[in-house]
Amino acid sequence: MKNGTRFFIGFVFLVLIIIFAVINTDVVHINFGIMAVAMPLIYVILGSTAVGAIIVSLLWFSSYLNQRKEMKQLKAEKAEYVQKLDQMVDHEVRLKEQQFTQEIAEKDRRIAELESEFSALKGEPFTPTSEDY
């Protein structure tokens, strides 16, 4: 839900609670177990609403802190995985470069062997021409 929609819904509930509280102004007796109090119902309604809002805010804040902690932990894990992945990629690149270098060296050696065989068969040094390519 968008923040504007949340604000609007919250504002509507606040207005409804205030209207409900203003309508109910009769004096009521409240028993807290160790003492009893007589007060207007508007104070009970507004006080209960305020206590409920405080409890919800505290629960939300603790959930928010837990989410931040988890996000921080997940970001650290992600960084660790990215670092490991980079190391693995670098290792694979080095291996492929070594293999490629070995293949080139092997092919260069084979070319040199074939050139020397050709020279031996023909009796003159090998000089590549455009037809050889």
Side-chain angles (χ1 to χ4, degrees):
M1 214 184 302
K2 300 284 184 191
N3 285 337
T5 307
R6 283 189 221 169
F7 177 78
F8 179 74
I9 291 172
F11 183 74
V12 168
F13 276 118
L14 179 66
V15 169
L16 289 175
I17 290 170
I18 290 173
I19 291 171
F20 181 72
V22 170
I23 292 172
N24 292 291
T25 57
D26 297 339
V27 175
V28 293
H29 297 281
I30 301 172
N31 186 356
F32 289 106
I34 55 174
M35 66 181 215
V37 178
M39 66 175 63
L41 185 56
I42 188 171
Y43 294 151
V44 174
I45 293 171
L46 294 178
S48 298
T49 302
V51 169
I54 290 171
I55 290 171
V56 167
S57 296
L58 290 175
L59 291 174
W60 172 84
F61 188 68
S62 68
S63 172
Y64 173 75
L65 291 178
N66 287 338
Q67 286 177 353
R68 277 188 51 189
K69 180 180 175 183
E70 185 177 354
M71 270 182 71
K72 186 183 256 186
Q73 180 183 6
L74 290 173
K75 284 180 181 180
E77 286 180 23
K78 177 188 169 197
E80 183 180 324
Y81 287 136
V82 167
Q83 182 182 15
K84 284 181 181 179
L85 181 64
D86 287 344
Q87 289 174 351
M88 290 170 58
V89 166
D90 289 343
H91 179 70
E92 287 295 319
V93 166
R94 281 193 300 273
L95 285 177
K96 293 295 180 185
E97 285 176 348
Q98 288 174 352
Q99 289 173 353
F100 184 67
T101 303
Q102 289 173 352
E103 286 179 24
I104 290 175
E106 178 64 28
K107 289 181 180 183
D108 285 344
R109 185 189 60 76
R110 182 70 177 136
I111 289 171
E113 285 178 5
L114 291 173
E115 286 176 350
S116 65
E117 286 179 21
F118 184 75
S119 296
L121 291 175
K122 201 169 180 188
E124 55 187 59
F126 176 77
T127 53
T129 63
S130 62
E131 295 173 3
D132 292 330
Y133 293 107

